[in-house]
Amino acid sequence: MIYVYRNWALIPEQIKSDLKQAAADLDAIEDSDARKAYIKANQGRWSAVRDYLGQMSHRKCWYSEAPESVSRYQVDHFRPHGRAKQALRDLCDGYSWLAFDIENFRLAGMLCNTLNQEYSEETVGKGDWFPLLDPIKRAHLKYRDCSAESPILLDPADPDDPSKLLFKDDGTVWPNDQLSDEDQKYVTTAIECLGLRQSQLNRARQRVWSACTKRARQYSRIAAKPKGQRTPEEVETLQELAGELIAMGKSDSPFAAVARTCLIANRLARFVVADELLHLADTE
């Protein structure tokens, strides 16, 4: 997971207008069943933004950074509009008023977004999961302010959340060991709920780690030589490897966060370029 800058300017004004109108129409409906029926009948409204969300993340799932090629991406509601699950048997009404709010949309691959056991011994995937540190502060239809909530799920739209994850050479994902024990426990819950530890993802991340390690070791072997003892071919190879390693960690590469962790592990942190964060420095 890396930070995803949400460039709403990519979405045509007509689509945004349609979503606002759908939200207004929903707001006028008081009956709970009628609200659910309206949301179900108008799912196409949020599907219209799927391609634009893909452009924001370089065609990668926002949660896993996996490029999707065999199934469709889904527009995930970070705060679920139907039911919100705090624990296995602890469910409450979801955030129906956010069903058409683009601020609530994330792009997710099916394995991360839906409950499944496709590549895991246990049921994983986001589904209705939306646990909070303090569920008493959960917003609801009559009190819609979400500012007091502290979600346990990691949010790729929050620049602070991706750094809470680290990866190992076998492709598995873990809480950052710099976090407190309590925070590591919460991040572990998020990893499970978001389906980030499935075997298919582990294998894909392991391949990226292996490819990055091979280049990093080759670079370090040559770089260890005094500059005056390097052949012209070695100088050229160093430049090529540096470019390849930097590219592997850039935001448009699959599993960029894995490559960045690998670079740090190989003492090449200077090649980590978190280019997606540059949007935060844009003051215009």
Side-chain angles (χ1 to χ4, degrees):
M1 180 186 294
I2 62 173
Y3 170 64
V4 175
Y5 171 67
R6 295 176 293 174
N7 182 5
W8 300 131
L10 293 174
I11 302 177
E13 289 301 321
Q14 185 59 56
I15 293 178
K16 289 188 280 191
S17 177
D18 290 346
L19 286 166
K20 288 179 180 178
Q21 185 59 55
D25 293 343
L26 176 64
D27 226 21
I29 302 172
E30 296 184 1
D31 179 74
S32 177
D33 290 337
R35 288 176 64 85
K36 292 178 183 177
Y38 180 84
I39 292 172
K40 184 176 181 179
N42 287 273
Q43 294 179 16
R45 301 290 184 98
W46 63 71
S47 295
V49 307
R50 181 170 51 215
D51 183 63
Y52 303 103
L53 297 178
Q55 292 179 41
M56 296 176 198
S57 64
H58 304 285
R59 307 294 177 186
K60 297 186 292 184
C61 167
W62 288 24
Y63 296 114
S64 69
E65 276 201 277
E68 185 66 84
S69 59
V70 296
S71 59
R72 290 193 308 164
Y73 284 116
Q74 297 177 335
V75 176
D76 168 55
H77 291 73
F78 185 63
R79 287 176 166 81
H81 61 77
R83 304 181 302 176
K85 186 187 293 187
Q86 176 69 27
L88 195 59
R89 293 179 177 82
D90 183 0
L91 293 100
C92 61
D93 289 338
Y95 303 76
S96 61
W97 66 96
L98 298 178
F100 303 103
D101 187 342
I102 59 173
E103 294 284 348
N104 193 38
F105 297 162
R106 311 288 185 268
L107 189 72
M110 292 180 65
L111 289 178
C112 288
N113 198 38
T114 58
L115 296 177
N116 72 91
Q117 288 184 303
E118 194 77 18
Y119 298 99
S120 174
E121 294 181 359
E122 299 179 355
T123 300
V124 296
K126 189 167 180 284
D128 296 325
W129 281 109
F130 198 73
L132 302 178
L133 292 184
D134 185 357
I136 294 177
K137 295 183 179 180
R138 189 182 298 278
H140 51 81
L141 186 58
K142 295 188 181 300
Y143 181 75
R144 304 181 181 185
D145 184 4
C146 298
S147 62
E149 294 185 346
S150 297
I152 290 176
L153 297 187
L154 301 180
D155 184 4
D158 183 338
D160 290 329
D161 277 0
S163 65
K164 297 174 182 176
L165 298 175
L166 286 182
F167 301 88
K168 294 189 176 181
D169 58 3
D170 60 357
T172 55
V173 59
W174 300 88
N176 190 324
D177 55 17
Q178 299 299 310
L179 298 172
S180 68
D181 290 345
E182 186 175 22
D183 284 344
Q184 287 190 49
K185 180 184 70 174
Y186 294 139
V187 172
T188 297
T189 297
I191 289 171
E192 294 170 353
C193 290
L194 294 174
L196 298 180
R197 217 177 251 165
Q198 300 183 61
S199 61
Q200 187 184 50
L201 286 173
N202 294 343
R203 288 192 294 271
R205 291 189 294 240
Q206 184 179 32
R207 288 193 292 270
V208 170
W209 186 288
S210 296
C212 186
T213 296
K214 181 179 179 180
R215 290 169 172 81
R217 289 177 177 173
Q218 185 180 0
Y219 179 92
S220 295
R221 280 196 301 270
I222 300 174
K225 289 186 176 183
K227 290 184 179 180
Q229 296 180 19
R230 300 171 190 167
T231 67
E233 291 77 12
E234 288 175 331
V235 172
E236 183 178 355
T237 298
L238 273 182
Q239 293 177 341
E240 292 175 353
L241 288 170
E244 291 172 6
L245 290 167
I246 291 170
M248 290 185 75
K250 290 186 68 175
S251 61
D252 58 353
S253 295
F255 307 110
V258 176
R260 294 173 186 180
T261 305
C262 181
L263 287 168
I264 294 170
N266 281 277
R267 299 181 180 180
L268 292 175
R270 61 188 180 276
F271 290 154
V272 173
V273 179
D275 53 304
E276 71 278 5
L277 297 179
L278 294 176
H279 294 286
L280 300 176
D282 187 358
T283 58
E284 295 184 2

